[in-house]
């Protein structure tokens, strides 16, 4: 039996030696990347939040799903509504813009666009032509900044047989001008034909005091 004392390693030194050994790359070849660890942590937190929310929501997970879907639908509806308001608010200086033209000039411009198959511009000019013609016939009082909808509503009261068509034409003009819709040969034909019928239509005013010459 030897009388020498057993060799002992201090606890701190042993821990440091173990940490040094385990820090070697050979032990970490298959560890997830820093990005993966951060993503795992984030998903763990999201999972914890959903678990807490589903526990506090009537109906549990199903109730939470219904709430989430409702919020998403509300956001979609709000986005659609704001987009529509934005389009209407960018209508500029009304139906005619800043430049004044006669109905004949608008018709000529419309036909030139149609000949070049620029159906959006052709349809817009034909709508302007028919409204300007109604002003020239005094069916409508000239009004700066008048929109297509306002023109259709005013003209529809004097030409009730064409009120629905006028309303449809105004909506078409708004869709082409502010809603991003692309004109076609058919849209132009609709407005051109309406323009022709309105030229032959006889206005019906509410009373004799409102009659136009």
């Amino acid at each position: 039996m030897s009388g020498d004392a057993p060799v002992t390693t201090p606890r701190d030194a042993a821990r440091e030696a173990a940490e040094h050994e385990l820090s070697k790359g050979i032990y970490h070849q298959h560890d997830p990347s820093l990005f993966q660890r951060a993503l795992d942590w984030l998903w763990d937190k999201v999972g914890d939040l959903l678990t807490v929310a589903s526990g506090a929501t009537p109906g549990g997970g199903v109730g939470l799903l219904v709430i989430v879907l409702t919020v998403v639908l509300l956001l979609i509806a709000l986005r659609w509504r704001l987009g529509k308001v934005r389009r209407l608010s960018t209508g500029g200086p009304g139906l005619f813009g800043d430049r004044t033209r006669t109905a004949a000039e608008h018709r000529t411009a419309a036909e030139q666009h149609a000949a070049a198959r620029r159906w959006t511009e052709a349809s817009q000019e034909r709508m302007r032509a028919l409204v300007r013609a109604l002003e020239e016939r005094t069916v409508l009082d000239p009004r700066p900044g008048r929109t297509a909808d306002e023109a259709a509503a005013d003209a529809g009261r004097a030409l009730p047989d064409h009120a629905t068509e006028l309303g449809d034409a105004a909506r078409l003009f708004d869709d082409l001008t502010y809603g991003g819709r692309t004109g076609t040969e058919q849209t132009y034909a609709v407005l051109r034909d309406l323009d022709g019928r309105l030229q032959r239509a006889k206005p019906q005013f509410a009373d004799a005091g409102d009659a136009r010459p």
Side-chain angles (χ1 to χ4, degrees):
M1 180 174 179
S2 174
D4 295 337
V7 178
T8 60
T9 302
R11 180 177 302 174
D12 292 342
R15 185 180 69 250
E16 291 175 0
E19 290 175 350
H20 176 72
E21 177 65 21
L22 292 174
S23 67
K24 294 180 179 180
I26 191 173
Y27 298 107
H28 301 279
Q29 293 178 355
H30 303 292
D31 286 358
S33 65
L34 179 62
F35 174 77
Q36 184 62 48
R37 292 197 299 273
L39 190 61
D40 291 341
W41 178 86
L42 178 61
W43 279 117
D44 288 340
K45 293 300 181 182
V46 172
D48 293 341
L49 288 174
L50 291 176
T51 299
V52 172
S54 62
T57 304
V62 175
L64 177 62
L65 179 60
V66 171
I67 292 175
V68 170
L69 290 176
T70 301
V71 171
V72 170
L73 291 175
L74 287 174
L75 290 174
I76 293 174
L78 180 61
R79 175 66 182 84
W80 177 83
R81 180 62 180 172
L82 289 177
K84 183 177 180 181
V85 170
R86 187 176 297 110
R87 289 196 300 269
L88 293 177
S89 66
T90 56
L95 176 63
F96 296 107
D98 296 323
R99 185 174 179 181
T100 302
R101 289 181 173 181
T102 65
E105 289 173 331
H106 283 298
R107 291 190 185 106
T108 297
E111 290 299 327
Q112 290 173 346
H113 286 305
R117 304 188 68 81
R118 294 189 294 266
W119 300 116
T120 298
E121 293 85 351
S123 300
Q124 291 169 325
E125 286 298 318
R126 185 59 73 162
M127 180 65 186
R128 294 180 179 116
L130 71 86
V131 174
R132 182 67 79 199
L134 293 175
E135 291 180 349
E136 292 174 352
R137 294 173 55 196
T138 68
V139 176
L140 292 176
D141 294 325
R143 185 189 308 164
R146 174 187 268 137
T147 66
D149 290 331
E150 291 170 343
D154 293 341
R157 285 188 285 272
L159 300 166
D161 292 341
H162 299 281
T164 300
E165 292 177 290
L166 284 163
D168 292 341
R171 283 187 291 274
L172 176 58
F173 178 87
D174 288 342
D175 288 345
L176 293 172
T177 307
Y178 315 122
R181 181 175 174 180
T182 301
T184 64
E185 186 174 2
Q186 181 179 5
T187 61
Y188 178 67
V190 168
L191 293 171
R192 181 194 59 206
D193 294 346
L194 177 59
D195 183 25
R197 290 195 300 275
L198 291 178
Q199 292 179 58
R200 300 185 297 270
K202 183 178 179 180
Q204 302 175 20
F205 299 109
D207 52 56
D210 192 34
R212 305 295 199 273

